[in-house]
Amino acid sequence: LDGVTRERFLRDIYPRRKPVVLTGLELGTCTTKWTVDYLSQAEGSKEVKIHVSAVPQMDFLSKNFVYRTLPFDAFVRRAAEVKHKEYFLTEDEKYYLRSVGEDVRKDIADIRKQFPVLAEDVHIPEYFEKEQFFSSVFRISSAGLQLWTHYDVMDNFLIQVTGRKRVVLYSPRDAPYLYLSGSKSEVLDVDNPDMEKYPLFVKAKRYQCVLEAGDVLFIPALWFHNVISEEFGVALNVFWKHLPAESYDKTDTYGNKDPMAASRAIQILDRALKTLEELPEEYRDFYARRMVLRIQEKAYRNDYG
């Protein structure tokens, strides 16, 4: 949708809770200024912690990548290369920066604090109230890098400043088909999934978009997304709180810990399942099925596709 105003977004798009690509928004000078040369000299040689992967598909569950530290200027130049003269693992390794707060455990990512010079070039579309702001995450990816499928618990804008990205999305309703481990899916290769290992994955309805430089993707909370950087690119995510502030886990610095009530409900369910273990198998099976029906009756929605 082109040139959507804040008013139209909040009135017509936001309440539908579906992903939308917004084009033609005023994002500041970053879209023209952020070349490799400019980026590498703008923030100098301060150290950044990066993911380095020998393969394009990064897997957070098996941790098939390593963390390394590089000066920011050297990192940008390496991420923009295809073959590396200097490298950690292999000459065609992939790099990924996801900015973090000063104290990773306590501080959220905020481009204004971690990259103040670059922050001056960005005009973030603030289609939410100031007090709802959670974080602004600066991201740089090598060409070809693919991130694991996951969901976040807050709404966010993925602002593609430079380069092209392909984003594949799945509705929260398709969680049963995504083989979840926490907030992440075990299905890494969404284009060629292992159907013997993940037979239900075919049932998940795939939505896809390609973000060009200057495009903004609205990703509602709980929507799963899998991102491939088709080119070297720089992006910025802005997360904001859709629920009342007290709903969220106070220790969440990444925006991916389940809301407090959801965490409590899952703990209670785990206790209920433990209690069922006191029964013989056929009884356990019968009462588990009844519990599933109760959950479906009480909590499933039927009104959105």
Side-chain angles (χ1 to χ4, degrees):
L1 294 172
D2 195 47
V4 172
T5 61
R6 184 180 197 265
E7 292 68 36
R8 189 180 158 210
F9 177 78
L10 292 174
R11 186 188 68 227
D12 301 337
I13 300 165
Y14 197 49
R16 292 176 58 217
R17 313 298 300 152
K18 297 269 181 77
V20 173
V21 178
L22 307 172
T23 56
L25 296 187
E26 180 44 60
L27 301 174
T29 56
C30 56
T31 49
T32 49
K33 265 171 99 170
W34 284 8
T35 61
V36 171
D37 285 342
Y38 174 77
L39 287 167
S40 52
Q41 58 85 29
E43 293 282 353
S45 58
K46 72 160 161 225
E47 302 264 288
V48 285
K49 191 178 181 183
I50 52 170
H51 302 66
V52 183
S53 177
V55 293
Q57 273 170 345
M58 280 175 52
D59 180 358
F60 196 81
L61 297 170
S62 74
K63 296 282 197 294
N64 67 345
F65 53 85
V66 295
Y67 292 105
R68 292 291 181 265
T69 305
L70 275 177
F72 184 71
D73 49 2
F75 157 69
V76 170
R77 295 202 177 281
R78 278 212 216 173
E81 303 167 343
V82 179
K83 285 264 187 282
H84 313 296
K85 286 196 175 69
E86 294 178 57
Y87 51 84
F88 296 108
L89 305 171
T90 64
E91 63 175 9
D92 52 3
E93 65 194 15
K94 306 289 183 196
Y95 298 94
Y96 170 56
L97 167 72
R98 185 240 189 253
S99 65
V100 291
E102 284 69 23
D103 180 332
V104 182
R105 288 179 305 281
K106 292 203 205 88
D107 301 326
I108 52 130
D110 186 342
I111 190 174
R112 292 166 298 191
K113 292 181 183 158
Q114 288 101 40
F115 297 92
V117 178
L118 295 175
E120 294 289 310
D121 303 334
V122 188
H123 178 260
I124 292 172
E126 292 195 356
Y127 287 17
F128 48 89
E129 299 303 320
K130 282 257 188 291
E131 61 275 11
Q132 286 178 285
F133 171 83
F134 176 69
S135 66
S136 50
V137 180
F138 185 58
R139 299 182 192 270
I140 297 183
S141 305
S142 292
L145 183 85
Q146 183 170 13
L147 284 182
W148 53 89
T149 306
H150 67 284
Y151 70 86
D152 301 294
V153 299
M154 296 188 197
D155 290 343
N156 87 83
F157 278 151
L158 169 54
I159 302 165
Q160 191 61 27
V161 181
T162 71
R164 188 192 302 119
K165 264 198 183 108
R166 187 199 78 176
V167 186
V168 174
L169 302 117
Y170 300 96
S171 158
R173 286 193 98 170
D174 284 342
Y177 315 130
L178 296 178
Y179 297 88
L180 295 185
S181 175
S183 63
K184 299 156 190 78
S185 168
E186 290 177 20
V187 187
L188 279 191
D189 191 341
V190 293
D191 300 306
N192 300 292
D194 180 337
M195 294 320 296
E196 281 185 19
K197 212 171 171 187
Y198 309 118
L200 295 176
F201 186 69
V202 288
K203 294 189 174 189
K205 184 178 176 184
R206 173 189 178 119
Y207 298 81
Q208 180 173 310
C209 63
V210 174
L211 300 181
E212 304 288 348
D215 289 351
V216 175
L217 171 62
F218 167 53
I219 307 178
L222 310 183
W223 273 77
F224 296 90
H225 43 289
N226 177 289
V227 181
I228 289 189
S229 297
E230 295 193 342
E231 302 168 339
F232 163 78
V234 184
L236 183 68
N237 274 107
V238 184
F239 291 90
W240 69 91
K241 296 170 184 171
H242 170 55
L243 307 175
E246 63 276 10
S247 308
Y248 298 99
D249 188 323
K250 295 280 183 289
T251 65
D252 190 2
T253 54
Y254 287 91
N256 62 4
K257 288 194 179 179
D258 291 316
M260 302 292 278
S263 296
R264 284 202 309 276
I266 289 166
Q267 283 169 358
I268 293 164
L269 178 61
D270 286 341
R271 284 207 297 278
L273 292 170
K274 192 122 190 74
T275 308
L276 277 189
E277 286 174 17
E278 295 170 21
L279 294 166
E281 188 182 26
E282 74 181 286
Y283 285 80
R284 197 164 65 227
D285 179 282
F286 174 67
Y287 287 104
R289 286 168 196 267
R290 286 191 58 190
M291 285 164 70
V292 167
L293 288 171
R294 297 257 324 247
I295 291 173
Q296 277 184 310
E297 284 160 20
K298 288 275 185 198
Y300 276 32
R301 284 174 62 180
N302 326 313
D303 59 339
Y304 69 99

